[in-house]
Amino acid sequence: MKRPLTKNIIVNQMPFDLVAYERAGGYQTVRQSLGKIDPDAVLAAVVDSGLGGCGGGGFPTGRKWQAMPSVATRPGPRYFIVNADEMEPGTFKDRLLLEGDPHQLIEGIILSAYAVQANHAYVFIRGEYHRAIALMEQAIGEAEAAGLLGDNILGSGFNLIIHVHGGAGRYICGEETALLNSLEGRRAIPRSKPPLPMISGLFGAPTIVNNVETICNIPHIVANGAEWFRSLGRNGAAGTKIFGVSGRVNRPGTYELPMGTPMREMIEEHAGGMKPGYALRALLPGGASTGFMLENDLDTPMSFAAFAAKGNRLGTGTAIILDDKTCPVGFIANLQHFFAQESCGWCAPCRDGLPWVEQTLKSIEAGEGKLEDLDLLTEMTDTLAPGRTFCALAPGAMASLTTGLAYFRDEFERHIRDGECPWT
Amino acid sequence: MDMKITVDDQVITVNGDDNLLAACLSAKQDVPYFCWHPALGSVGSCRQCAVKVFQGPDDTTGRIVMACMTKLTPGMRVAIADEQAVEFREAVVETVLTNHPHDCPVCEVGGECHLQDMTVMTGHKARRYRYEKRTNINQDLGPFIRHEMNRCIGCYRCVRFYQDYAGGDDFGVFGSNRNVYFGRDEDGALESQFAGNLVEVCPTGVFVDKPFSAKFRRKWDMRSTPSVCPHCAVGCNITVQERGGQLRRVVNRYNETLNGYFLCDRGRFGTGFVESPARLRNSRNKTNAVLPASEAHAQLADILKTPGTIGIGSPRASIEANFALRQLVGAENFYAGVSEFDSAALQSAVAIARQVGLARVQDAEQADAVLVLGDDPAAIAPRLALALRQSSQRVPSEILAQRDIPAWDAGAAKLASHEVMNPFFVITDKPSWLDPMATQALRRTSQEIITLATEVASAIGSHASNSDIAQALLKARQPVIAVSGDAALLKAAANIVLALRAAGVPAKLSLMLPEANSLGLGLIDSRPLSAALAACQGQNIIVLENDLFLRSDRAGELLASARNVCVLDHIETSSVKQATLAVAVGSFADSDGTFVNCEGRAQRFFKAIFRNEGTTQSWALLRDAGLQAGLDIAAAWPTHVALLADLASTLPNLAVCAEASPETQGARPATLSYRYSGRTAATAHIDVREPLPPQHDDSPLGTTMEGPPIHAQTGVKPVMWTPGWNSAQAVNKFQDVIGGAISGSNEVFVFETPSNITTAFEVAGAQTTDSRVLGLEEMSELSPAIIARHQAGSAS
């Protein structure tokens, strides 16, 4: 099984430095592309590859790039930004790529920035990822010293500077427009869309924001072609992806698997199945802002399309398992605590609705709930539905609540009826 | 571009450049909202204005959208009454109210609260939230504003006004999630001179008018009278609210082309002078003995009788008062009572206004290129400075169009602004508030500014490429030149406008004059005090509402050379102290009168306070004394209307002043609301019978709650009220379109059409010394709130 993204990563060892990375074939695409093939050809390869945004949206990367106005129609600065603000609970795939193979990301950035003709790139890294920040800065220094970054890279006439920016620790900065505000020194609140960042982004200039994992795929697409990339996937999906499992499984962790691998295969084979004495009750397939799936959904191929068809989202592809010994109400209350705390405070229903949801769930969990609380929670899932709030944070928070209320209704009612949590 | 859309099965015609919320409100539909403000634009944060929009004729499901963030498309179908949308709007209000205290009965804003109105509009009644509310510690924000953060519903209007609109940087939003906090980083007086607008911008009671708090009455328990701010030549429209003969507060009175929705703090809080300890309460003679009004009037009549009496007018007194004095002493004996510097400036201002015309404040706001010359507009004409700031902050429309960003999308428009901005030049002799907003700020001496302005005018004329300023102005579509200074500079600035017009650019000129009625006085007479001194050979002098010691260092000499000095004023001044006869008269709030502002706009203010002693308005008092003195001319002014008619025939230039007020048709409108309470109870401890209402015939407005409600009349509207709209936001219901003119309003300008003369003005060098003190206006400096604000100083 091919695993291009993690091929250079050796667990518990320092990442490849520039020499080792180049020895493993790194930066060949940069040497062969910059100034030698048209930026549009790089863009076309990405469009053909079917690569989707790995931050959780799954939006086709090539189409995002195409939405940027051409240099001819919009002269002036353009920015390429890597979203490394990985704060989705239960998700740790970008950290692996940042710490495991920083040069792979740099190579991806050079190719991507070349494709969209941006001369400034920013890597916005979650503040707590100290190690990733240090390793990225070191790798960028190596690349600059080797002439792979800076002015007139390898004599190609293309200039690129990569800036590393450590975030100050807000979940909302993972939302691309809030990230832009934060990068500009403004409050980290989302911006209205339209205009999309491709039209009016960082400092008002055309801007692309892509996830770390998305960009790590670019060197491999450019090196091996779109056809090859598509062939990596299963069940109609393209490429590989870093999936992950946390919870009471035998081998929690991350695994690079073909896109479209059925969930069951990941949990039972790669994660080694449930620990003895625990049974799988449900799982959040792609981080805290995806909806619960049950045992009978496990054969769903892990692709953006297959999950959308089920009315759910693949999200970051890193699953959190809810076992039969954990209280689902407490589990959901804990998730809502996170979202209530991370609401940026910009739009009213999210800012004031999520704390209400959290307090209601905690009250139910403490045995102080009322049956009408369940109606209130159901109403809240509607009030905080997509399009009702300013950004996707609150709808993401509601994904687990909506499905949780549907799947665990009995457990909710039992808490209220018995006046206590049956799991404590 | 007009288009038709369907709202709740009704076809309405809307302006396609609006957003859906503004379009619905313009069509007088009720859609609740919090964060949207017509002057601040849309940001989509409160989610309150949700409506359902259907795609095409076959769509039955529809989609909930935020009306304020939705562009209009021809034929779009909108349902405000849609069940889902109604439920969502109620849910949003219920959510934001989870933290809002139930303190309406003790909240100053109760009864004029936008949050109350919107809550009622959505139908939300009972609270289900049963957990702890978020609470905050309030800050001391200085003498103007009291902070009640617990009431905050997080609409972000305050910070958007304070920072984005008014350019303040000492107030902002802190924290995140439901712990957002709107305040300063530490206690201290708000530094912006527009901070008072927070009171009206906040949809509920987070920012409370502090001086008003101390003498608070409910909105419906106060008499509301349309008035004009007396503190500078911009003449912002205000509403004066009174009860029991006491001025309670001043609020903004919307005027589309002038002050819009906002006032400066001097205007809002400066009126405290009207009842400050410095008010001249009684007439008195040179021995400081209090004179009964009748005695004072008789002595004034004696002075009027003596031939050759010199009359000294005032740029802070009304047209009517100045005119009455001029007529009684004779035009040849009447002097403007200003410094030589101001006199020369006024003379050229009048000549320039006739030939070139004057920009409106709204023109400054909409300008795509600005050149500021002379003084800091923020010191001399704050509201105009705020308008100019909007021009400096606006992203050029081509950039917005290129990115398909509608102008109302305030968030996106602001963030698109890192590229080219509209040219904005500030050339002053001292640092200006506008400096940080300028594309170029230059410090020059007054004389250098005149030279530079002259060079710009000639560079425009010759299309010379060596002047950036000339080039930028020539490229603009609607540039504004804003100038303040001496006569030569005003002329030099006018020459720039003339040169631009000759080059086909429809430039406009904004003259920043010093006082509320400077231009009006200039149209009556502009001879300086020095001329009066030259003419004075021991005659009597009557000084009208003017402290000559602020005008000339020879004031003492002038007063000493006169036999009797009669000073009519409503405040204690150095001149009053020197008077042999000081006569107490009414302030602007006690009077009916007209100011001509720096745009040449003739604006009427009406008697707003009814109290007993010493408040006869100057022109009526002069008339009565004139009658007593046997001067026939005074007999021509039995009424205010008659005086204006005499003014029109004597000074045809000022004939338009007669039109500056609605005429009474039938019953005079009520200045008290239907709900005005305590008419009998308030004075029951003195007399259980209801007192007679105040008798006042000179105003077209009534003094009681009888008659049609004043907001229902055309023209001036001191209060806006319509069922369900009790806050200042009710203005929506009285505008032709949102952000447009008040329906039926009538604006009167002295210089309606500029002449076709294109000859440039001759610019001489500065000939008079500039002894002006900018930014300190004598009346507002007596207001306790302003004094306290000075004492609070600046926190930075």
Side-chain angles (χ1 to χ4, degrees), chain B residues 27-174:
Chain B
K28 306 294 179 259
Q29 303 281 333
D30 279 348
V31 182
Y33 63 86
F34 292 120
C35 66
W36 174 82
H37 186 288
L40 304 179
S42 303
V43 293
S45 85
C46 77
R47 317 309 280 176
Q48 190 57 68
C49 64
V51 297
K52 196 171 255 186
V53 169
F54 298 90
Q55 308 291 324
D58 304 325
D59 183 4
T60 51
T61 323
R63 192 167 58 93
I64 289 200
V65 299
M66 299 309 131
C68 75
M69 297 297 282
T70 303
K71 289 182 192 176
L72 297 169
T73 49
M76 82 193 288
R77 278 195 298 137
V78 183
I80 300 171
D82 172 82
E83 193 183 339
Q84 249 188 330
V86 168
E87 279 171 11
F88 177 71
R89 293 195 297 261
E90 185 181 346
V92 171
V93 158
E94 184 179 14
T95 308
V96 296
L97 285 177
T98 54
N99 290 311
H100 190 77
H102 272 176
D103 68 344
C104 302
V106 295
C107 172
E108 281 98 327
V109 183
E112 55 173 324
C113 174
H114 186 63
L115 176 59
Q116 285 180 331
D117 287 348
M118 297 299 103
T119 305
V120 171
M121 191 182 287
T122 62
H124 170 62
K125 288 183 207 72
R127 178 184 301 233
R128 289 184 291 173
Y129 181 77
R130 57 175 198 270
Y131 311 101
E132 269 192 25
K133 291 178 188 177
R134 160 282 274 138
T135 53
N136 300 280
I137 293 171
N138 297 323
Q139 288 182 319
D140 178 357
L141 298 178
F144 293 160
I145 306 277
R146 212 181 68 232
H147 196 209
E148 292 283 350
M149 230 338 263
N150 286 349
R151 295 177 185 151
C152 179
I153 58 160
C155 72
Y156 288 80
R157 272 188 185 186
C158 56
V159 65
R160 287 164 54 218
F161 171 78
Y162 200 92
Q163 292 186 349
D164 297 347
Y165 196 91
D169 60 6
D170 63 308
F171 171 93
V173 50
F174 300 87

Side-chain angles (χ1 to χ4, degrees), chain A residues 3-17 21 27 51-55 82-86 91-109 123 125 129 131-137 139 210-220 229 240-244 253-257 316 318:
Chain A
R3 45 181 198 90
L5 291 171
T6 53
K7 69 182 167 60
N8 292 340
I9 301 178
I10 305 161
V11 176
N12 295 331
Q13 281 194 19
M14 282 295 283
F16 281 5
D17 62 9
Y21 183 73
Y27 289 115
L51 174 65
C54 299
V82 175
N83 185 346
D85 191 57
E86 186 176 52
T91 298
F92 34 82
K93 63 180 183 65
D94 294 340
R95 180 178 175 187
L96 177 74
L97 292 167
L98 288 161
E99 295 182 0
D101 199 4
H103 279 291
Q104 174 176 248
L105 177 59
I106 294 170
E107 184 172 0
I109 293 171
V123 186
I125 306 182
Y129 282 8
R131 183 176 154 81
I133 292 172
L135 290 170
M136 271 307 290
E137 280 176 342
N210 279 138
N211 170 258
V212 171
E213 188 183 4
T214 314
I215 297 312
C216 287
N217 275 301
I218 304 296
H220 308 296
F229 184 78
T240 62
K241 179 165 182 2
I242 299 182
F243 294 100
T254 55
Y255 331 93
E256 183 176 358
L257 303 174
T316 61
T318 43

Side-chain angles (χ1 to χ4, degrees), chain B residues 469-509:
Chain B
I469 300 174
Q471 290 299 308
L473 293 174
L474 279 165
K475 275 187 213 140
R477 283 187 301 266
Q478 38 191 6
V480 165
I481 319 298
V483 61
S484 155
D486 71 359
L489 181 58
L490 304 189
K491 287 177 183 165
N495 288 344
I496 297 179
V497 172
L498 289 171
L500 284 167
R501 289 188 188 159
V505 181
K508 289 189 174 163
L509 180 68

Side-chain angles (χ1 to χ4, degrees), chain A residues 74 170 186-187 191-192 200 203-204 340-341 343 345-349 351 353 359-360 373 379 383 388-390, chain B residues 43-45 47 69 88 94-96 99 128-131 153-154 156 173 175-177 402-403 412 415 418:
Chain A
R74 273 286 290 278
R170 298 300 303 179
R186 300 174 189 276
R187 280 175 68 79
R191 299 176 172 183
S192 60
S200 193
F203 304 117
Q341 176 183 293
S343 168
W346 173 243
C347 87
R351 177 189 61 229
Q359 290 174 91
T360 306
D373 286 344
E379 284 173 39
T383 305
R388 310 267 166 108
T389 54
F390 193 85
Chain B
V43 293
S45 85
R47 317 309 280 176
M69 297 297 282
F88 177 71
E94 184 179 14
T95 308
V96 296
N99 290 311
R128 289 184 291 173
Y129 181 77
R130 57 175 198 270
Y131 311 101
I153 58 160
Y156 288 80
V173 50
S176 65
N177 56 51
Q402 183 193 42
R403 302 182 200 175
L415 294 166
H418 290 270

Side-chain angles (χ1 to χ4, degrees), chain B residues 400-422:
Chain B
L400 295 183
Q402 183 193 42
R403 302 182 200 175
D404 201 18
I405 299 171
W408 45 257
D409 187 347
K414 175 177 97 171
L415 294 166
S417 68
H418 290 270
E419 294 178 15
V420 192
M421 299 298 283
N422 286 328

